[in-house]
């Protein structure tokens, strides 16, 4: 309940035609007390929910940011601070610096104060923030995954080249042996 609701309940009670202050005052006071108690309980529940959600957002392994439609940072969680390499107070209110498209997943290269580049995956959704349209973005450092994928591609390329070289060497050796024996190798033997 809001204080406006309490005031409105009192106003309606007073405006009631059959309201008798002396006899109805106790009922009214009991109802006001009940409304105040309900109001306090709802506020307590709301605070508990806010604490739970804040805890979920702050402990999330992904960076979570809120951007205005113009791309200005309005919120950054702890993981976001780590990705940016800066305290949230230093970056909130500043432009994000990358294009954002709701519903899209993209990879961006982010620099950090120490000069290291990170490849960051960004997923974005539209939301509201402080009664205005905004973007909710999830940021994940995928630099290690990209490095491993690149190393795997290089390793596979090297393996294929070695395999091709080994097949050619085997074919050459087989040809030499068969030439020594005086016969032509068959396709099956190659």
């Amino acid at each position: 309940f809001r204080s406006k609701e309490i005031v409105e309940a009192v106003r309606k009670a007073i405006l009631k035609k059959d309201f008798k202050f002396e006899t109805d005052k106790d009922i009214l006071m009991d109802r006001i007390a009940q409304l105040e108690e309900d109001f306090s309980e709802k506020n307590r529940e709301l605070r508990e929910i806010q604490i739970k959600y804040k805890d979920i957002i702050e402990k999330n392994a992904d960076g979570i940011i809120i951007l205005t439609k113009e791309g200005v940072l309005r919120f950054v969680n702890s993981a976001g601070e780590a990705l940016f390499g800066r305290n949230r107070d230093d970056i909130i209110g500043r432009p994000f610096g990358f294009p954002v498209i709701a519903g899209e997943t993209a990879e961006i290269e982010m620099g950090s104060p120490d000069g290291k580049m990170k490849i960051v995956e960004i997923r974005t959704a539209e939301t509201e923030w402080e009664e205005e349209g905004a973007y909710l973005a999830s940021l994940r450092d995928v630099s290690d995954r990209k490095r491993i994928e690149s190393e795997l591609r290089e390793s596979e390329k090297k393996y294929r080249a070695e395999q091709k070289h080994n097949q050619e060497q085997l074919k050459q050796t087989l040809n030499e042996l068969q030439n020594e024996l005086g016969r032509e190798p068959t396709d099956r033997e190659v």
Side-chain angles (χ1 to χ4, degrees):
F1 293 97
R2 295 188 168 95
S3 59
K4 287 181 182 180
E5 292 175 9
I6 295 171
V7 170
E8 184 61 22
V10 171
R11 189 185 69 73
K12 284 181 181 178
I14 291 173
L15 293 176
K16 232 170 105 176
K17 291 182 181 172
D18 59 346
F19 178 77
K20 296 171 185 71
F21 188 75
E22 290 303 317
T23 57
D24 291 343
K25 136 176 122 170
D26 291 337
I27 294 170
L28 181 60
M29 296 307 286
D30 287 345
R31 182 64 183 138
I32 290 172
Q34 180 61 45
L35 288 171
E36 286 176 340
E37 186 178 313
D38 290 348
F39 180 72
S40 294
E41 178 61 26
K42 295 295 180 191
N43 275 339
R44 222 176 354 268
E45 289 173 9
L46 180 60
R47 277 192 304 275
E48 288 174 10
I49 290 168
Q50 287 172 329
I51 289 168
K52 286 178 186 176
Y53 280 118
K54 182 179 180 186
D55 193 51
I56 289 169
I57 297 298
E58 281 301 318
K59 290 184 178 176
N60 195 309
D62 290 341
I64 296 176
I65 61 174
I66 301 288
L67 304 162
T68 65
K69 292 289 186 170
E70 294 76 33
V72 177
L73 288 156
R74 291 291 179 224
F75 172 83
V76 179
N77 73 346
S78 298
E81 284 181 313
L83 277 173
F84 285 103
R86 293 182 172 89
N87 183 295
R88 69 185 77 192
D89 295 332
D90 296 335
I91 54 178
I92 290 177
R94 294 184 176 224
F96 179 53
F98 297 96
V100 176
I101 302 170
E104 296 288 322
T105 300
E107 289 179 359
I108 57 177
E109 280 193 42
M110 287 179 61
S112 59
D114 62 3
K116 291 183 181 177
M117 294 302 287
K118 298 176 186 177
I119 300 172
V120 176
E121 181 181 83
I122 179 171
R123 295 174 183 245
T124 312
E126 289 192 46
T127 191
E128 266 192 33
W129 184 261
E130 297 175 349
E131 299 180 16
E132 292 184 15
Y135 295 111
L136 167 67
S138 174
L139 306 171
R140 178 175 293 174
D141 186 346
V142 293
S143 302
D144 288 341
R145 184 183 81 202
K146 289 295 187 178
R147 181 185 48 77
I148 291 168
E149 287 172 355
S150 177
E151 288 172 0
L152 184 59
R153 280 191 301 275
E154 286 300 314
S155 176
E156 186 177 345
K157 186 177 173 182
K158 184 178 175 183
Y159 171 76
R160 289 185 191 280
E162 286 177 9
Q163 185 180 24
K164 184 177 179 182
H165 175 73
N166 289 342
Q167 284 177 342
E168 288 172 4
Q169 289 243 252
L170 183 61
K171 188 176 181 180
Q172 182 181 355
T173 304
L174 184 58
N175 282 334
E176 288 172 3
L177 285 173
Q178 288 182 340
N179 283 339
E180 285 180 21
L181 295 173
R183 65 183 180 96
E184 293 292 319
T186 64
D187 285 340
R188 185 176 172 156
E189 293 174 321
V190 176

